Amino acid sequence: MKEILADLDTWRAQGRKVAIARVVNVEGSGPRDPGAAMAVSDSGDVIGSVSGGCVEGAVVTEALAILETGERKMVSFGYSDDEAFAVGLTCGGTIHLFIEPLDW
Amino acid sequence: MSELYEQLRDAITDERPVVLATVIEGPNAGAKLVLDPECADGFVSVGTLGNPGLDRVVSRDSVGELAAGRSGVRHYGPEGQANEQHVSVFVESFAPPPIMLVFGAVDFTAALARAAKLLGFKVVVADARSMFATVKRFPMADQVMVAWPDEVFDVYAERLGHHDAVCILTHDPKFDVPAVQRAVATEVGYIGVMGSRRTHATRLKRLAEVGVPQQGIDRLMAPIGLDIGSRTPEETAVSVCAEIIANRTGHAAPSLRDSDGPIHRQAPT
């Protein structure tokens, strides 16, 4: 989260609504360690990253939904998704993210 | 409402170690505790995970996680009991940035300082010559000290640990002998010393004369850097930074120290 603090401060000063996603757990091979974070503003701007680019698109979708509902949730992305075209990590690992509004 | 975020942000910005604990599963998901043990006001704790017992246990566990620089999920009972899975807490440690002390205000220093900033180091450049140790020449450094090695170590020695680095680029026994003497007396994870193999051989004699023990000598990465054929200050900076990473992670990477022959070989044509 360190890397995105300056941008978060700017968004807060502008009064934007922000959702933040953090990697909390990684099983197997994963590109980023726990603590990797990205944030999405209500205007759709994105800072930071939680993987090597594999799941960021899906995280943005989840984050924008969370900005609407205000709920907080765990989201996992893995290689063994049932849906043939589901978003997953090409490296074979599973990452677990906690996504929530930055209302604290 | 934003008290938690601001406490966390201020600690990170001021380079204090800090923990953000978040309930990610179980009752009160999203509840948070920010622990700022080295705040100017003493050990500051902001927020709650929803139960005083849980707060107490997580605070205790977090101090250990922070010292180790670890982040991860821990499981507890409703009131912080061990061996229960009622609540999952993500304990996120924010360690202060690692420190790199660079001795010698030369072109290699500027390139190394830039590369080290990329890796997240707090970079301190030191040289006893005020003409060379200037902010104008090293705008990328976090601190520029016109100082002898002793003065620099008087400030930083206690803080140096496994993740920190000392790079001695002076090539001058007046500076590098005292710098090595003080560096090997710290817990610093990496000590690199620049210079040709001949310079280093001479340096070893001087270090032995001033009584630097063999265990200290064995810690020196000299000649400095990985054997990647680097030439320019920028390439050398990459070679040094790569060696620092390999040294910290314990991965095998061929170092110049462990090979022989000329450092600067002709590129194959």
mmCIF file of all heavy atoms in Angstrom, chain A residues 1-2 4-9 12 22-25 34-37 72-74 98 100-104, chain B residues 1-6 8-9 12 20 22-25 29-30 32 71-73 90 92 94-97:
data_model
loop_
_atom_site.group_PDB
_atom_site.id
_atom_site.type_symbol
_atom_site.label_atom_id
_atom_site.label_comp_id
_atom_site.label_asym_id
_atom_site.label_seq_id
_atom_site.Cartn_x
_atom_site.Cartn_y
_atom_site.Cartn_z
ATOM 1 N N MET A 1 0.830 -1.214 0.000
ATOM 2 C CA MET A 1 0.000 0.000 0.000
ATOM 3 C C MET A 1 0.863 1.262 0.000
ATOM 4 O O MET A 1 0.402 2.320 -0.414
ATOM 5 C CB MET A 1 -0.900 -0.025 1.229
ATOM 6 C CG MET A 1 -1.958 1.050 1.188
ATOM 7 S SD MET A 1 -3.485 0.569 1.948
ATOM 8 C CE MET A 1 -3.043 0.253 3.612
ATOM 9 N N LYS A 2 2.110 1.093 0.449
ATOM 10 C CA LYS A 2 3.020 2.242 0.493
ATOM 11 C C LYS A 2 3.049 3.009 -0.825
ATOM 12 O O LYS A 2 3.036 4.229 -0.855
ATOM 13 C CB LYS A 2 4.451 1.754 0.766
ATOM 14 C CG LYS A 2 4.815 1.692 2.217
ATOM 15 C CD LYS A 2 6.263 1.244 2.375
ATOM 16 C CE LYS A 2 6.507 0.817 3.798
ATOM 17 N NZ LYS A 2 7.855 0.376 4.078
ATOM 18 N N ILE A 4 0.968 3.399 -3.141
ATOM 19 C CA ILE A 4 -0.210 4.098 -3.650
ATOM 20 C C ILE A 4 -0.702 5.177 -2.682
ATOM 21 O O ILE A 4 -1.698 5.836 -2.946
ATOM 22 C CB ILE A 4 -1.364 3.112 -3.981
ATOM 23 C CG1 ILE A 4 -1.834 2.352 -2.736
ATOM 24 C CG2 ILE A 4 -0.923 2.121 -5.057
ATOM 25 C CD1 ILE A 4 -3.080 1.497 -3.005
ATOM 26 N N LEU A 5 0.019 5.373 -1.568
ATOM 27 C CA LEU A 5 -0.444 6.329 -0.552
ATOM 28 C C LEU A 5 -0.604 7.738 -1.097
ATOM 29 O O LEU A 5 -1.583 8.428 -0.806
ATOM 30 C CB LEU A 5 0.528 6.364 0.628
ATOM 31 C CG LEU A 5 0.363 5.312 1.718
ATOM 32 C CD1 LEU A 5 1.404 5.544 2.805
ATOM 33 C CD2 LEU A 5 -1.035 5.341 2.309
ATOM 34 N N ALA A 6 0.385 8.182 -1.902
ATOM 35 C CA ALA A 6 0.345 9.559 -2.399
ATOM 36 C C ALA A 6 -0.898 9.771 -3.256
ATOM 37 O O ALA A 6 -1.605 10.779 -3.112
ATOM 38 C CB ALA A 6 1.615 9.868 -3.192
ATOM 39 N N ASP A 7 -1.203 8.779 -4.114
ATOM 40 C CA ASP A 7 -2.395 8.898 -4.961
ATOM 41 C C ASP A 7 -3.673 8.809 -4.132
ATOM 42 O O ASP A 7 -4.655 9.507 -4.407
ATOM 43 C CB ASP A 7 -2.390 7.797 -6.035
ATOM 44 C CG ASP A 7 -1.355 8.062 -7.114
ATOM 45 O OD1 ASP A 7 -1.173 9.241 -7.465
ATOM 46 O OD2 ASP A 7 -0.727 7.112 -7.586
ATOM 47 N N LEU A 8 -3.659 7.947 -3.105
ATOM 48 C CA LEU A 8 -4.843 7.839 -2.238
ATOM 49 C C LEU A 8 -5.130 9.177 -1.568
ATOM 50 O O LEU A 8 -6.284 9.606 -1.478
ATOM 51 C CB LEU A 8 -4.626 6.761 -1.162
ATOM 52 C CG LEU A 8 -4.687 5.305 -1.616
ATOM 53 C CD1 LEU A 8 -4.462 4.379 -0.425
ATOM 54 C CD2 LEU A 8 -6.021 4.980 -2.275
ATOM 55 N N ASP A 9 -4.066 9.839 -1.113
ATOM 56 C CA ASP A 9 -4.247 11.139 -0.464
ATOM 57 C C ASP A 9 -4.869 12.142 -1.432
ATOM 58 O O ASP A 9 -5.749 12.920 -1.050
ATOM 59 C CB ASP A 9 -2.903 11.667 0.053
ATOM 60 C CG ASP A 9 -2.601 11.133 1.451
ATOM 61 O OD1 ASP A 9 -3.494 10.527 2.062
ATOM 62 O OD2 ASP A 9 -1.472 11.338 1.924
ATOM 63 N N ARG A 12 -8.508 11.318 -1.867
ATOM 64 C CA ARG A 12 -9.267 11.690 -0.663
ATOM 65 C C ARG A 12 -9.508 13.188 -0.628
ATOM 66 O O ARG A 12 -10.602 13.646 -0.296
ATOM 67 C CB ARG A 12 -8.536 11.225 0.587
ATOM 68 C CG ARG A 12 -8.662 9.715 0.848
ATOM 69 C CD ARG A 12 -7.590 9.221 1.810
ATOM 70 N NE ARG A 12 -7.439 10.079 2.980
ATOM 71 C CZ ARG A 12 -8.140 9.943 4.098
ATOM 72 N NH1 ARG A 12 -9.005 8.977 4.221
ATOM 73 N NH2 ARG A 12 -7.941 10.772 5.101
ATOM 74 N N ARG A 22 -6.569 -5.704 -1.378
ATOM 75 C CA ARG A 22 -5.247 -6.116 -0.887
ATOM 76 C C ARG A 22 -5.088 -7.622 -0.993
ATOM 77 O O ARG A 22 -6.011 -8.365 -0.646
ATOM 78 C CB ARG A 22 -5.083 -5.705 0.583
ATOM 79 C CG ARG A 22 -4.890 -4.211 0.775
ATOM 80 C CD ARG A 22 -4.709 -3.869 2.239
ATOM 81 N NE ARG A 22 -5.964 -3.922 2.978
ATOM 82 C CZ ARG A 22 -6.047 -4.126 4.288
ATOM 83 N NH1 ARG A 22 -4.953 -4.328 4.998
ATOM 84 N NH2 ARG A 22 -7.213 -4.145 4.885
ATOM 85 N N VAL A 23 -3.928 -8.068 -1.414
ATOM 86 C CA VAL A 23 -3.619 -9.495 -1.386
ATOM 87 C C VAL A 23 -3.407 -9.869 0.081
ATOM 88 O O VAL A 23 -2.582 -9.270 0.775
ATOM 89 C CB VAL A 23 -2.327 -9.812 -2.170
ATOM 90 C CG1 VAL A 23 -1.964 -11.289 -2.044
ATOM 91 C CG2 VAL A 23 -2.479 -9.424 -3.640
ATOM 92 N N VAL A 24 -4.201 -10.859 0.581
ATOM 93 C CA VAL A 24 -4.028 -11.277 1.972
ATOM 94 C C VAL A 24 -3.379 -12.658 2.074
ATOM 95 O O VAL A 24 -2.795 -13.002 3.089
ATOM 96 C CB VAL A 24 -5.354 -11.262 2.758
ATOM 97 C CG1 VAL A 24 -5.927 -9.857 2.798
ATOM 98 C CG2 VAL A 24 -6.359 -12.238 2.186
ATOM 99 N N ASN A 25 -3.486 -13.445 1.003
ATOM 100 C CA ASN A 25 -2.929 -14.792 1.064
ATOM 101 C C ASN A 25 -2.625 -15.279 -0.351
ATOM 102 O O ASN A 25 -3.348 -14.949 -1.290
ATOM 103 C CB ASN A 25 -3.927 -15.736 1.747
ATOM 104 C CG ASN A 25 -3.274 -17.000 2.246
ATOM 105 O OD1 ASN A 25 -2.047 -17.121 2.234
ATOM 106 N ND2 ASN A 25 -4.083 -17.964 2.663
ATOM 107 N N PRO A 34 1.467 -11.108 0.017
ATOM 108 C CA PRO A 34 0.453 -10.430 0.827
ATOM 109 C C PRO A 34 0.866 -8.982 1.090
ATOM 110 O O PRO A 34 2.024 -8.705 1.376
ATOM 111 C CB PRO A 34 0.447 -11.244 2.124
ATOM 112 C CG PRO A 34 0.847 -12.617 1.696
ATOM 113 C CD PRO A 34 1.855 -12.411 0.595
ATOM 114 N N GLY A 35 -0.109 -8.090 0.992
ATOM 115 C CA GLY A 35 0.169 -6.672 1.169
ATOM 116 C C GLY A 35 0.137 -5.908 -0.142
ATOM 117 O O GLY A 35 -0.067 -4.694 -0.139
ATOM 118 N N ALA A 36 0.321 -6.596 -1.267
ATOM 119 C CA ALA A 36 0.216 -5.902 -2.562
ATOM 120 C C ALA A 36 -1.186 -5.322 -2.668
ATOM 121 O O ALA A 36 -2.156 -5.971 -2.290
ATOM 122 C CB ALA A 36 0.486 -6.867 -3.712
ATOM 123 N N ALA A 37 -1.287 -4.098 -3.138
ATOM 124 C CA ALA A 37 -2.584 -3.418 -3.107
ATOM 125 C C ALA A 37 -2.854 -2.644 -4.383
ATOM 126 O O ALA A 37 -1.927 -2.171 -5.033
ATOM 127 C CB ALA A 37 -2.637 -2.455 -1.909
ATOM 128 N N ARG A 72 -18.002 -5.331 1.914
ATOM 129 C CA ARG A 72 -16.601 -5.748 1.900
ATOM 130 C C ARG A 72 -16.580 -7.239 1.639
ATOM 131 O O ARG A 72 -17.444 -7.954 2.119
ATOM 132 C CB ARG A 72 -15.928 -5.459 3.242
ATOM 133 C CG ARG A 72 -16.620 -4.424 4.091
ATOM 134 C CD ARG A 72 -15.917 -4.181 5.382
ATOM 135 N NE ARG A 72 -14.936 -3.135 5.216
ATOM 136 C CZ ARG A 72 -15.179 -1.836 5.338
ATOM 137 N NH1 ARG A 72 -16.386 -1.410 5.619
ATOM 138 N NH2 ARG A 72 -14.221 -0.952 5.186
ATOM 139 N N LYS A 73 -15.632 -7.728 0.888
ATOM 140 C CA LYS A 73 -15.644 -9.162 0.608
ATOM 141 C C LYS A 73 -14.267 -9.721 0.274
ATOM 142 O O LYS A 73 -13.360 -8.986 -0.109
ATOM 143 C CB LYS A 73 -16.615 -9.458 -0.530
ATOM 144 C CG LYS A 73 -16.193 -8.857 -1.867
ATOM 145 C CD LYS A 73 -17.354 -8.804 -2.851
ATOM 146 C CE LYS A 73 -17.639 -10.149 -3.483
ATOM 147 N NZ LYS A 73 -18.499 -10.000 -4.677
ATOM 148 N N MET A 74 -14.170 -11.040 0.460
ATOM 149 C CA MET A 74 -13.008 -11.793 0.012
ATOM 150 C C MET A 74 -13.267 -12.254 -1.415
ATOM 151 O O MET A 74 -14.366 -12.703 -1.742
ATOM 152 C CB MET A 74 -12.807 -13.033 0.891
ATOM 153 C CG MET A 74 -12.338 -12.748 2.301
ATOM 154 S SD MET A 74 -10.606 -12.290 2.343
ATOM 155 C CE MET A 74 -9.847 -13.816 1.776
ATOM 156 N N PHE A 98 -8.801 -9.165 -0.269
ATOM 157 C CA PHE A 98 -9.864 -8.533 0.516
ATOM 158 C C PHE A 98 -10.116 -7.178 -0.131
ATOM 159 O O PHE A 98 -9.200 -6.378 -0.273
ATOM 160 C CB PHE A 98 -9.431 -8.383 1.979
ATOM 161 C CG PHE A 98 -10.519 -7.885 2.882
ATOM 162 C CD1 PHE A 98 -11.639 -8.660 3.142
ATOM 163 C CD2 PHE A 98 -10.428 -6.629 3.475
ATOM 164 C CE1 PHE A 98 -12.647 -8.211 3.981
ATOM 165 C CE2 PHE A 98 -11.436 -6.167 4.326
ATOM 166 C CZ PHE A 98 -12.545 -6.965 4.578
ATOM 167 N N GLU A 100 -12.524 -3.678 -0.191
ATOM 168 C CA GLU A 100 -13.413 -2.906 0.673
ATOM 169 C C GLU A 100 -13.359 -1.437 0.293
ATOM 170 O O GLU A 100 -12.399 -0.980 -0.330
ATOM 171 C CB GLU A 100 -12.993 -3.071 2.146
ATOM 172 C CG GLU A 100 -11.578 -2.579 2.407
ATOM 173 C CD GLU A 100 -11.168 -2.655 3.872
ATOM 174 O OE1 GLU A 100 -12.042 -2.811 4.724
ATOM 175 O OE2 GLU A 100 -9.963 -2.526 4.137
ATOM 176 N N PRO A 101 -14.391 -0.698 0.702
ATOM 177 C CA PRO A 101 -14.327 0.746 0.492
ATOM 178 C C PRO A 101 -13.291 1.355 1.437
ATOM 179 O O PRO A 101 -13.129 0.876 2.563
ATOM 180 C CB PRO A 101 -15.733 1.240 0.869
ATOM 181 C CG PRO A 101 -16.560 0.037 1.140
ATOM 182 C CD PRO A 101 -15.656 -1.126 1.340
ATOM 183 N N LEU A 102 -12.614 2.397 0.986
ATOM 184 C CA LEU A 102 -11.675 3.108 1.866
ATOM 185 C C LEU A 102 -12.499 4.141 2.638
ATOM 186 O O LEU A 102 -12.488 5.322 2.337
ATOM 187 C CB LEU A 102 -10.576 3.770 1.036
ATOM 188 C CG LEU A 102 -9.485 4.507 1.814
ATOM 189 C CD1 LEU A 102 -8.744 3.551 2.737
ATOM 190 C CD2 LEU A 102 -8.494 5.168 0.877
ATOM 191 N N ASP A 103 -13.218 3.626 3.640
ATOM 192 C CA ASP A 103 -14.091 4.509 4.423
ATOM 193 C C ASP A 103 -13.605 4.566 5.866
ATOM 194 O O ASP A 103 -14.344 4.854 6.779
ATOM 195 C CB ASP A 103 -15.540 4.013 4.367
ATOM 196 C CG ASP A 103 -15.681 2.576 4.848
ATOM 197 O OD1 ASP A 103 -14.671 1.969 5.261
ATOM 198 O OD2 ASP A 103 -16.801 2.042 4.802
ATOM 199 N N TRP A 104 -12.318 4.236 6.031
ATOM 200 C CA TRP A 104 -11.761 4.196 7.387
ATOM 201 C C TRP A 104 -10.565 5.105 7.460
ATOM 202 O O TRP A 104 -9.761 5.070 8.293
ATOM 203 C CB TRP A 104 -11.377 2.759 7.760
ATOM 204 C CG TRP A 104 -10.713 2.004 6.650
ATOM 205 C CD1 TRP A 104 -11.309 1.326 5.619
ATOM 206 C CD2 TRP A 104 -9.311 1.843 6.431
ATOM 207 N NE1 TRP A 104 -10.371 0.775 4.788
ATOM 208 C CE2 TRP A 104 -9.133 1.075 5.258
ATOM 209 C CE3 TRP A 104 -8.160 2.298 7.111
ATOM 210 C CZ2 TRP A 104 -7.866 0.739 4.745
ATOM 211 C CZ3 TRP A 104 -6.917 1.964 6.613
ATOM 212 C CH2 TRP A 104 -6.776 1.190 5.430
ATOM 213 N N MET B 1 -13.726 9.165 11.225
ATOM 214 C CA MET B 1 -13.856 8.102 10.245
ATOM 215 C C MET B 1 -12.520 7.776 9.604
ATOM 216 O O MET B 1 -12.205 6.634 9.332
ATOM 217 C CB MET B 1 -14.862 8.511 9.171
ATOM 218 C CG MET B 1 -15.085 7.416 8.123
ATOM 219 S SD MET B 1 -16.399 7.827 6.975
ATOM 220 C CE MET B 1 -15.528 8.745 5.726
ATOM 221 N N SER B 2 -11.702 8.837 9.359
ATOM 222 C CA SER B 2 -10.455 8.569 8.650
ATOM 223 C C SER B 2 -9.259 8.506 9.598
ATOM 224 O O SER B 2 -8.122 8.564 9.168
ATOM 225 C CB SER B 2 -10.224 9.633 7.588
ATOM 226 O OG SER B 2 -10.357 10.909 8.169
ATOM 227 N N GLU B 3 -9.542 8.363 10.890
ATOM 228 C CA GLU B 3 -8.476 8.346 11.886
ATOM 229 C C GLU B 3 -7.508 7.175 11.664
ATOM 230 O O GLU B 3 -6.297 7.323 11.785
ATOM 231 C CB GLU B 3 -9.097 8.260 13.288
ATOM 232 C CG GLU B 3 -8.151 8.612 14.403
ATOM 233 C CD GLU B 3 -8.741 8.287 15.771
ATOM 234 O OE1 GLU B 3 -9.909 7.848 15.833
ATOM 235 O OE2 GLU B 3 -8.020 8.452 16.762
ATOM 236 N N LEU B 4 -8.065 6.011 11.326
ATOM 237 C CA LEU B 4 -7.241 4.821 11.104
ATOM 238 C C LEU B 4 -6.291 5.047 9.933
ATOM 239 O O LEU B 4 -5.086 4.822 10.030
ATOM 240 C CB LEU B 4 -8.140 3.614 10.794
ATOM 241 C CG LEU B 4 -8.898 3.002 11.965
ATOM 242 C CD1 LEU B 4 -10.116 2.245 11.473
ATOM 243 C CD2 LEU B 4 -7.982 2.086 12.756
ATOM 244 N N TYR B 5 -6.865 5.478 8.822
ATOM 245 C CA TYR B 5 -6.064 5.699 7.623
ATOM 246 C C TYR B 5 -4.959 6.732 7.906
ATOM 247 O O TYR B 5 -3.817 6.563 7.504
ATOM 248 C CB TYR B 5 -6.954 6.178 6.470
ATOM 249 C CG TYR B 5 -6.168 6.577 5.248
ATOM 250 C CD1 TYR B 5 -5.713 5.622 4.349
ATOM 251 C CD2 TYR B 5 -5.853 7.920 5.016
ATOM 252 C CE1 TYR B 5 -4.970 5.984 3.242
ATOM 253 C CE2 TYR B 5 -5.109 8.291 3.911
ATOM 254 C CZ TYR B 5 -4.671 7.323 3.023
ATOM 255 O OH TYR B 5 -3.920 7.690 1.937
ATOM 256 N N GLU B 6 -5.332 7.790 8.592
ATOM 257 C CA GLU B 6 -4.352 8.863 8.801
ATOM 258 C C GLU B 6 -3.215 8.441 9.737
ATOM 259 O O GLU B 6 -2.063 8.809 9.527
ATOM 260 C CB GLU B 6 -5.069 10.132 9.293
ATOM 261 C CG GLU B 6 -5.752 10.815 8.115
ATOM 262 C CD GLU B 6 -6.772 11.870 8.494
ATOM 263 O OE1 GLU B 6 -6.842 12.229 9.691
ATOM 264 O OE2 GLU B 6 -7.500 12.324 7.584
ATOM 265 N N LEU B 8 -2.127 5.381 10.020
ATOM 266 C CA LEU B 8 -1.326 4.464 9.199
ATOM 267 C C LEU B 8 -0.453 5.253 8.222
ATOM 268 O O LEU B 8 0.758 5.023 8.114
ATOM 269 C CB LEU B 8 -2.259 3.526 8.431
ATOM 270 C CG LEU B 8 -1.603 2.536 7.476
ATOM 271 C CD1 LEU B 8 -0.873 1.445 8.258
ATOM 272 C CD2 LEU B 8 -2.648 1.893 6.551
ATOM 273 N N ARG B 9 -1.066 6.184 7.522
ATOM 274 C CA ARG B 9 -0.344 6.966 6.523
ATOM 275 C C ARG B 9 0.794 7.772 7.175
ATOM 276 O O ARG B 9 1.913 7.810 6.669
ATOM 277 C CB ARG B 9 -1.308 7.922 5.811
ATOM 278 C CG ARG B 9 -0.613 8.805 4.781
ATOM 279 C CD ARG B 9 -1.405 10.048 4.495
ATOM 280 N NE ARG B 9 -1.674 10.797 5.714
ATOM 281 C CZ ARG B 9 -2.650 11.699 5.838
ATOM 282 N NH1 ARG B 9 -3.454 11.945 4.851
ATOM 283 N NH2 ARG B 9 -2.805 12.353 6.986
ATOM 284 N N ILE B 12 3.691 5.483 8.075
ATOM 285 C CA ILE B 12 4.436 5.044 6.890
ATOM 286 C C ILE B 12 5.266 6.210 6.349
ATOM 287 O O ILE B 12 6.449 6.059 6.041
ATOM 288 C CB ILE B 12 3.479 4.500 5.804
ATOM 289 C CG1 ILE B 12 2.825 3.203 6.285
ATOM 290 C CG2 ILE B 12 4.222 4.268 4.494
ATOM 291 C CD1 ILE B 12 1.734 2.678 5.366
ATOM 292 N N LEU B 20 -1.290 -2.778 10.267
ATOM 293 C CA LEU B 20 -2.720 -2.632 10.021
ATOM 294 C C LEU B 20 -3.332 -4.022 10.119
ATOM 295 O O LEU B 20 -3.029 -4.895 9.307
ATOM 296 C CB LEU B 20 -2.971 -2.033 8.633
ATOM 297 C CG LEU B 20 -4.423 -2.044 8.136
ATOM 298 C CD1 LEU B 20 -5.319 -1.207 9.031
ATOM 299 C CD2 LEU B 20 -4.503 -1.542 6.690
ATOM 300 N N THR B 22 -6.785 -6.275 10.017
ATOM 301 C CA THR B 22 -8.140 -6.169 9.471
ATOM 302 C C THR B 22 -8.839 -7.510 9.613
ATOM 303 O O THR B 22 -8.286 -8.541 9.220
ATOM 304 C CB THR B 22 -8.096 -5.816 7.964
ATOM 305 O OG1 THR B 22 -7.272 -4.678 7.770
ATOM 306 C CG2 THR B 22 -9.484 -5.543 7.419
ATOM 307 N N VAL B 23 -10.049 -7.505 10.166
ATOM 308 C CA VAL B 23 -10.857 -8.732 10.162
ATOM 309 C C VAL B 23 -11.334 -8.954 8.734
ATOM 310 O O VAL B 23 -11.995 -8.084 8.156
ATOM 311 C CB VAL B 23 -12.076 -8.611 11.113
ATOM 312 C CG1 VAL B 23 -12.949 -9.859 10.992
ATOM 313 C CG2 VAL B 23 -11.623 -8.414 12.545
ATOM 314 N N ILE B 24 -10.956 -10.094 8.147
ATOM 315 C CA ILE B 24 -11.362 -10.339 6.751
ATOM 316 C C ILE B 24 -12.446 -11.406 6.658
ATOM 317 O O ILE B 24 -13.151 -11.470 5.673
ATOM 318 C CB ILE B 24 -10.149 -10.713 5.864
ATOM 319 C CG1 ILE B 24 -9.422 -11.936 6.410
ATOM 320 C CG2 ILE B 24 -9.201 -9.523 5.731
ATOM 321 C CD1 ILE B 24 -8.374 -12.477 5.450
ATOM 322 N N GLU B 25 -12.586 -12.239 7.699
ATOM 323 C CA GLU B 25 -13.676 -13.212 7.731
ATOM 324 C C GLU B 25 -14.147 -13.378 9.170
ATOM 325 O O GLU B 25 -13.338 -13.323 10.093
ATOM 326 C CB GLU B 25 -13.221 -14.560 7.155
ATOM 327 C CG GLU B 25 -13.222 -14.565 5.623
ATOM 328 C CD GLU B 25 -12.567 -15.811 5.030
ATOM 329 O OE1 GLU B 25 -11.495 -16.217 5.508
ATOM 330 O OE2 GLU B 25 -13.151 -16.360 4.081
ATOM 331 N N ALA B 29 -16.366 -8.204 9.898
ATOM 332 C CA ALA B 29 -15.426 -8.130 8.769
ATOM 333 C C ALA B 29 -15.223 -6.665 8.389
ATOM 334 O O ALA B 29 -16.186 -5.898 8.296
ATOM 335 C CB ALA B 29 -15.960 -8.920 7.585
ATOM 336 N N GLY B 30 -13.963 -6.305 8.225
ATOM 337 C CA GLY B 30 -13.626 -4.922 7.910
ATOM 338 C C GLY B 30 -13.150 -4.147 9.130
ATOM 339 O O GLY B 30 -12.527 -3.094 8.985
ATOM 340 N N LYS B 32 -10.909 -2.834 12.113
ATOM 341 C CA LYS B 32 -9.471 -2.612 11.984
ATOM 342 C C LYS B 32 -8.828 -2.111 13.262
ATOM 343 O O LYS B 32 -9.454 -1.475 14.100
ATOM 344 C CB LYS B 32 -9.201 -1.558 10.902
ATOM 345 C CG LYS B 32 -9.460 -2.076 9.524
ATOM 346 C CD LYS B 32 -9.118 -1.047 8.480
ATOM 347 C CE LYS B 32 -9.337 -1.667 7.120
ATOM 348 N NZ LYS B 32 -10.764 -2.040 6.932
ATOM 349 N N SER B 71 3.705 -10.327 6.723
ATOM 350 C CA SER B 71 2.279 -10.042 6.589
ATOM 351 C C SER B 71 1.569 -11.347 6.281
ATOM 352 O O SER B 71 2.067 -12.143 5.483
ATOM 353 C CB SER B 71 2.024 -9.056 5.441
ATOM 354 O OG SER B 71 2.588 -7.797 5.728
ATOM 355 N N GLY B 72 0.404 -11.558 6.898
ATOM 356 C CA GLY B 72 -0.324 -12.787 6.609
ATOM 357 C C GLY B 72 -1.602 -12.876 7.419
ATOM 358 O O GLY B 72 -1.899 -12.010 8.248
ATOM 359 N N VAL B 73 -2.356 -13.967 7.153
ATOM 360 C CA VAL B 73 -3.648 -14.160 7.804
ATOM 361 C C VAL B 73 -3.467 -15.028 9.039
ATOM 362 O O VAL B 73 -2.772 -16.051 8.992
ATOM 363 C CB VAL B 73 -4.652 -14.824 6.831
ATOM 364 C CG1 VAL B 73 -5.986 -15.074 7.534
ATOM 365 C CG2 VAL B 73 -4.848 -13.959 5.597
ATOM 366 N N PHE B 90 -6.198 -10.304 8.879
ATOM 367 C CA PHE B 90 -5.035 -10.046 8.022
ATOM 368 C C PHE B 90 -4.142 -9.043 8.755
ATOM 369 O O PHE B 90 -4.533 -7.902 8.978
ATOM 370 C CB PHE B 90 -5.471 -9.496 6.666
ATOM 371 C CG PHE B 90 -4.315 -9.158 5.753
ATOM 372 C CD1 PHE B 90 -3.272 -10.057 5.553
ATOM 373 C CD2 PHE B 90 -4.279 -7.941 5.086
ATOM 374 C CE1 PHE B 90 -2.210 -9.748 4.706
ATOM 375 C CE2 PHE B 90 -3.224 -7.627 4.233
ATOM 376 C CZ PHE B 90 -2.188 -8.527 4.046
ATOM 377 N N GLU B 92 -1.028 -6.918 8.511
ATOM 378 C CA GLU B 92 -0.153 -6.372 7.476
ATOM 379 C C GLU B 92 0.923 -5.502 8.133
ATOM 380 O O GLU B 92 0.619 -4.513 8.790
ATOM 381 C CB GLU B 92 -0.973 -5.547 6.478
ATOM 382 C CG GLU B 92 -0.135 -5.072 5.305
ATOM 383 C CD GLU B 92 -0.973 -4.415 4.200
ATOM 384 O OE1 GLU B 92 -2.194 -4.262 4.385
ATOM 385 O OE2 GLU B 92 -0.385 -4.051 3.162
ATOM 386 N N PHE B 94 4.100 -3.021 8.011
ATOM 387 C CA PHE B 94 4.787 -2.028 7.193
ATOM 388 C C PHE B 94 6.109 -1.706 7.881
ATOM 389 O O PHE B 94 6.139 -0.972 8.868
ATOM 390 C CB PHE B 94 3.960 -0.754 7.052
ATOM 391 C CG PHE B 94 2.651 -0.963 6.341
ATOM 392 C CD1 PHE B 94 1.525 -1.379 7.046
ATOM 393 C CD2 PHE B 94 2.549 -0.769 4.979
ATOM 394 C CE1 PHE B 94 0.323 -1.582 6.395
ATOM 395 C CE2 PHE B 94 1.342 -0.974 4.326
ATOM 396 C CZ PHE B 94 0.230 -1.379 5.038
ATOM 397 N N ALA B 95 7.183 -2.317 7.381
ATOM 398 C CA ALA B 95 8.498 -2.051 7.965
ATOM 399 C C ALA B 95 9.008 -0.735 7.403
ATOM 400 O O ALA B 95 8.674 -0.370 6.276
ATOM 401 C CB ALA B 95 9.453 -3.183 7.621
ATOM 402 N N PRO B 96 9.816 -0.012 8.166
ATOM 403 C CA PRO B 96 10.418 1.185 7.589
ATOM 404 C C PRO B 96 11.329 0.778 6.427
ATOM 405 O O PRO B 96 11.763 -0.373 6.366
ATOM 406 C CB PRO B 96 11.224 1.793 8.733
ATOM 407 C CG PRO B 96 11.065 0.915 9.904
ATOM 408 C CD PRO B 96 10.262 -0.282 9.527
ATOM 409 N N PRO B 97 11.606 1.696 5.510
ATOM 410 C CA PRO B 97 12.423 1.302 4.361
ATOM 411 C C PRO B 97 13.822 0.880 4.795
ATOM 412 O O PRO B 97 14.347 1.401 5.779
ATOM 413 C CB PRO B 97 12.480 2.577 3.509
ATOM 414 C CG PRO B 97 12.116 3.686 4.416
ATOM 415 C CD PRO B 97 11.238 3.114 5.480
#
